[in-house]
Amino acid sequence: NLPQVASALSGLNRKQPAPAPDLAKFSLNDLRTAIQNGEIQAHYQPKLDVRTGVIKGVEALARWVRPDGSVIPPNRFIPVAEQYGMIHDLTLRIVEQACAQATQWNKRGLRLSMAINLSPQQLDSDQFVDDITKLIERHAVRADQIVWEITESSVVANLGTALGVLARMRLKGFGLSIDDYGTGFSSMQQLARIPFTELKVDRSFVHGAAQREHLRVILQSALEMANRLNLVTVAEGVEHLEDWRLLQDFGCVLGQGYLIARPMPGPDLPDWLRKNAQYLRTLHCEQSRL
Ligand code: C2E
Ligand code: MG
Ligand code: MG
Ligand code: MG
């Protein structure tokens, strides 16, 4: 049945649920005001060295924290912000918070790489690079401490300009990560032209890989390819210890997921590290695996 196959394929190609504005829950004006009032807050999820269990970085993830304390997840408002011309302001707010947070951690001796997600629109013009360059100059953060996470589809959406913008970012010293790798149907030929520094395998190939042969094959091949291309390899969505051990066997560099921690407010991180030091040590590579 062709129409069914076509719609299943287009579903696969889409990273998030359809961007139907959730206008029953909020109006466009609510979102606009929320961005201006600082209700869009970055939470941070640890990225750990898979071999040692040591924290190496965090990913900043946007949450809409409403005045009544309720929280709206990014899949509900990011697509709306993208569609209605608000994503530029929203992203700059997240970048601002992430830089301020990294500066604070730097001062306490906690030097973590900071990953920030970008939308396709950010690759449409040089405006964004100019804005973030100015922004990080106001903080004690160097470009090489920041990694921009970009999905394959956002690059392919507008390859011509995206190539130029990404090359400029790389020249400034920023890291560039392919996010949700394996879900975007991008051509290798196109990806190879972009100066990526990191590859993040999508969680659909990570979650349960220890149990499922075909996931394991895809995961291992993606990691092997990326390692051989000298990219930093990252697995997202690690929820089970068996999957974590598998990542160690496959030589994955960094791991991120609920097994380690959910995204948390920045000020909670040092405390979380202290309380979980013992647990994190148990994640290191067992002697026999080294
Ligand atoms: P992403 O960049 O692929 O981020 C990973 C998502 O997986 C996050 O969802 C994270 O909380 C979730 N996750 C992490 N570990 C696990 C796990 O072990 N199991 C499961 N089931 N999920 C896990 P979140 O925070 O809801 O964000 C969803 C997406 O929204 C992100 O996917 C990203 O595409 C987008 N997003 C979030 N913040 C921003 C932002 O500031 N700007 C832009 N443009 N997009 C953002
Ligand atoms: Mg991401
Ligand atoms: Mg991802
Ligand atoms: Mg994802």
Side-chain angles (χ1 to χ4, degrees):
N1 179 324
L2 268 182
Q4 245 177 30
V5 170
S7 81
L9 283 176
S10 74
L12 272 179
N13 201 11
R14 206 179 297 126
K15 177 175 149 46
Q16 284 152 3
D22 213 336
L23 297 176
K25 295 281 173 5
F26 59 84
S27 70
L28 292 178
N29 216 37
D30 288 343
L31 182 55
R32 211 166 276 127
T33 317
I35 297 170
Q36 298 316 316
N37 292 350
E39 288 175 32
I40 309 297
Q41 294 176 16
H43 282 199
Y44 303 90
Q45 188 180 34
K47 288 164 98 170
L48 261 59
D49 182 320
V50 170
R51 231 168 40 82
T52 61
V54 170
I55 187 168
K56 286 298 164 74
V58 291
E59 176 176 7
L61 292 156
R63 271 97 186 86
W64 180 354
V65 183
R66 310 201 74 180
D68 67 3
S70 60
V71 177
I72 304 180
N75 286 344
R76 301 259 298 282
F77 63 85
I78 295 279
V80 181
E82 288 176 345
Q83 199 174 326
Y84 292 92
M86 297 179 237
I87 195 64
H88 189 75
D89 287 346
L90 190 156
T91 306
L92 290 181
R93 295 284 177 145
I94 294 291
V95 178
E96 174 77 41
Q97 291 172 47
C99 287
Q101 186 58 77
T103 304
Q104 255 192 35
W105 286 333
N106 285 350
K107 282 187 190 141
R108 303 178 57 163
L110 191 60
R111 219 192 120 82
L112 300 176
S113 98
M114 178 63 75
I116 303 174
N117 292 284
L118 294 186
S119 294
Q121 286 93 331
Q122 258 97 51
L123 308 178
D124 281 353
S125 78
D126 283 332
Q127 183 66 42
F128 183 70
V129 191
D130 295 339
D131 288 347
I132 49 168
T133 307
K134 273 187 232 130
L135 203 155
I136 74 158
E137 276 165 7
R138 296 207 304 271
H139 295 275
V141 175
R142 292 192 344 218
D144 65 6
Q145 198 177 350
I146 297 180
V147 180
W148 304 105
E149 293 195 4
I150 305 135
T151 61
E152 300 160 68
S153 359
S154 30
V155 175
V156 174
N158 191 356
L159 191 68
T161 11
L163 267 176
V165 172
L166 291 168
R168 256 190 90 201
M169 289 177 132
R170 186 68 201 106
L171 278 174
K172 286 185 182 284
F174 293 114
L176 299 177
S177 179
I178 315 177
D179 202 354
D180 299 339
Y181 179 76
T183 60
F185 280 130
S186 46
S187 91
M188 292 293 164
Q189 183 224 4
Q190 288 173 335
L191 285 187
R193 295 167 63 193
I194 298 161
F196 282 114
T197 57
E198 179 182 283
L199 181 144
K200 268 184 107 162
V201 182
D202 189 66
R203 73 162 175 265
S204 54
F205 306 108
V206 176
H207 180 96
Q211 306 295 328
R212 299 170 70 186
E213 162 108 50
H214 73 287
L215 295 182
R216 206 155 55 238
V217 171
I218 297 171
L219 176 65
Q220 184 172 23
S221 317
L223 291 172
E224 197 201 330
M225 178 195 72
N227 280 333
R228 292 178 64 179
L229 290 169
N230 285 322
L231 299 172
V232 175
T233 43
V234 188
E236 60 171 30
V238 193
E239 295 188 23
H240 308 294
L241 191 57
E242 312 86 78
D243 296 333
W244 184 263
R245 296 290 178 220
L246 196 68
L247 295 170
Q248 295 179 326
D249 288 343
F250 291 169
C252 184
V253 177
L254 300 174
Q256 178 184 354
Y258 295 168
L259 174 72
I260 297 140
R262 296 196 175 236
M264 65 187 97
D268 294 357
L269 190 93
D271 227 33
W272 175 85
L273 276 172
R274 215 169 302 119
K275 287 187 181 136
N276 289 279
Q278 180 92 30
Y279 168 64
L280 296 181
R281 270 195 295 275
T282 68
L283 294 173
H284 84 294
C285 235
E286 288 154 11
Q287 210 51 258
S288 62
R289 292 170 185 271
L290 284 170

